[in-house]
């Protein structure tokens, strides 16, 4: 028995319902949307408040 | 303890900030809270840089700090707020991000409704570019557990979004104009 099957069974789930992979087509669909959500934020500039914090941290290290 | 940080390490840290923010937003579904998380992560990372060995995986180290911060907050909140349906995620899902077209809004809302551990595994492997092994290390669990969570997350999303084999997989997600 594979480890994932064991986990599914321990949790009372149908192994094939919970753990089996989706078709490549649906996996690709989800992957595309997931990366779009992630990349949208990753492509934004770093907010000022975080840059300010970084400056403050550096300054505190200089003392 | 504040300390002097080498310029190269500082630059590397800044270089990971955009990915770290993307992880935080995808994980908690709320930009303001995400930036709080990143801020706290940056603060902790800076003050514990002596425990980071230069040359090892900085990105994974930062992601680990962020997810530990997120999950310990979630546990605390859960103890404090025992609401009737017990789901903080539902609250988040009811106020989705305001931009992006309908399909993306639906996807974001569905992502927010996944169990935390499944959402985390899916983002680490499916968007942040980590291997199953790295994701397992970040989440502090077995590789098999990560694989199982990723599969469950995909199955659940597919159910929530009503995907089937005829689902359109070609149309670009972002407007070209």
């Amino acid at each position: 028995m594979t480890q994932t099957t064991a986990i599914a069974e321990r949790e009372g789930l149908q192994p094939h319902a919970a753990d089996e992979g989706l078709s490549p087509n649906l996996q690709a669909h989800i992957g595309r949307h997931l990366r779009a959500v992630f990349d949208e934020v990753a492509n934004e500039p770093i907010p000022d408040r975080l840059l300010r914090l970084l400056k403050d941290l550096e300054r505190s290290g200089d003392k | 303890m504040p300390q002097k940080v080498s310029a190269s390490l500082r630059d590397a840290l800044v270089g990971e900030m955009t990915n770290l923010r993307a992880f935080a937003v995808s994980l908690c579904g709320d930009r303001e809270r995400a930036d709080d998380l990143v801020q706290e992560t940056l603060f902790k990372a800076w003050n514990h840089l002596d425990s980071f060995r230069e040359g090892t995986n900085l990105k994974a180290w930062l992601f680990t700090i962020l997810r530990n911060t997120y999950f310990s907050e979630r546990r605390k909140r859960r103890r404090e707020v025992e609401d009737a349906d017990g789901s903080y995620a539902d609250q988040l899902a009811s106020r989705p991000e305001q931009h992006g077209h309908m399909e993306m809004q639906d996807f974001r809302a569905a992502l927010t409704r996944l169990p935390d551990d499944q959402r985390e595994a899916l983002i680490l492997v499916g968007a942040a570019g980590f291997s199953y092994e790295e994701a397992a290390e970040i989440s502090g669990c077995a590789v098999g557990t990560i694989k199982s969570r990723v599969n469950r997350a995909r199955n659940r999303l597919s159910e929530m979004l009503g995907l089937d084999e005829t689902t359109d997989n070609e149309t670009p997600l972002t407007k070209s104009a």
Side-chain angles (χ1 to χ4, degrees), chain B residues 9-10 15 24 27 33 39 45 48 50 52 62 72 87 89 92 116 128 134-136 139 146 156 165 168 170 174 177:
Chain B
L9 190 51
R10 184 221 176 259
L27 196 61
R33 231 179 115 219
Q39 191 162 327
H48 292 93
D50 49 346
F52 174 74
L62 292 171
S72 70
S87 179
L92 289 176
D116 272 340
E134 288 169 326
S139 309
I146 289 290
R156 208 133 160 187
E165 288 307 323
D168 167 39
E170 304 297 326
T174 44

Side-chain angles (χ1 to χ4, degrees), chain B residues 60-71:
Chain B
W61 186 65
L62 292 171
F63 272 54
T64 307
I65 297 175
L66 191 136
R67 61 83 63 192
N68 287 344
T69 305
Y70 173 73
F71 280 98

Side-chain angles (χ1 to χ4, degrees), chain B residues 8 12 16 21 59-60 72 96 106 112 114-116 120 125:
Chain B
S8 65
E16 292 300 342
R21 272 192 84 226
K59 183 180 172 188
S72 70
D106 286 350
T112 319
L114 286 178
D116 272 340
E120 177 191 27
V125 171

Side-chain angles (χ1 to χ4, degrees), chain B residues 10-172:
Chain B
R10 184 221 176 259
D11 289 349
L13 209 61
V14 175
E16 292 300 342
M17 296 271 279
T18 52
N19 275 325
L20 208 53
R21 272 192 84 226
F23 178 47
V25 174
S26 330
L27 196 61
C28 79
D30 180 304
R31 269 158 197 272
E32 217 168 302
R33 231 179 115 219
D35 281 343
D36 287 344
L37 274 174
V38 175
Q39 191 162 327
E40 205 168 323
T41 302
L42 186 60
F43 192 79
K44 285 180 184 167
W46 197 274
N47 289 316
H48 292 93
L49 273 173
D50 49 346
S51 71
F52 174 74
R53 282 172 299 123
E54 240 174 304
T56 62
N57 196 336
L58 179 69
K59 183 180 172 188
W61 186 65
L62 292 171
F63 272 54
T64 307
I65 297 175
L66 191 136
R67 61 83 63 192
N68 287 344
T69 305
Y70 173 73
F71 280 98
S72 70
E73 243 174 52
R74 284 295 299 253
R75 277 193 295 274
K76 216 167 93 190
R77 253 176 234 255
R78 209 166 291 148
R79 280 200 302 271
E80 282 167 5
V81 193
E82 294 273 27
D83 51 291
D85 58 7
S87 179
Y88 182 68
D90 281 350
Q91 273 173 261
L92 289 176
S94 67
R95 46 188 170 98
E97 301 286 329
Q98 289 306 302
H99 40 270
H101 59 58
M102 206 54 197
E103 198 190 340
M104 287 307 298
Q105 285 190 24
D106 286 350
F107 184 84
R108 279 197 194 89
L111 190 64
T112 319
R113 270 185 231 112
L114 286 178
D116 272 340
D117 56 349
Q118 291 179 21
R119 185 171 55 254
E120 177 191 27
L122 187 67
I123 297 165
L124 289 175
V125 171
F130 289 108
S131 65
Y132 283 109
E133 288 73 17
E134 288 169 326
E137 200 146 310
I138 290 169
S139 309
C141 65
V143 178
T145 307
I146 289 290
K147 286 182 179 168
S148 162
R149 286 175 185 170
V150 168
N151 278 339
R152 284 188 204 182
R154 285 183 180 137
N155 284 323
R156 208 133 160 187
L157 281 177
S158 172
E159 266 173 42
M160 282 192 273
L161 296 166
L163 304 182
D164 61 41
E165 288 307 323
T166 63
T167 297
D168 167 39
N169 214 5
E170 304 297 326
T171 313

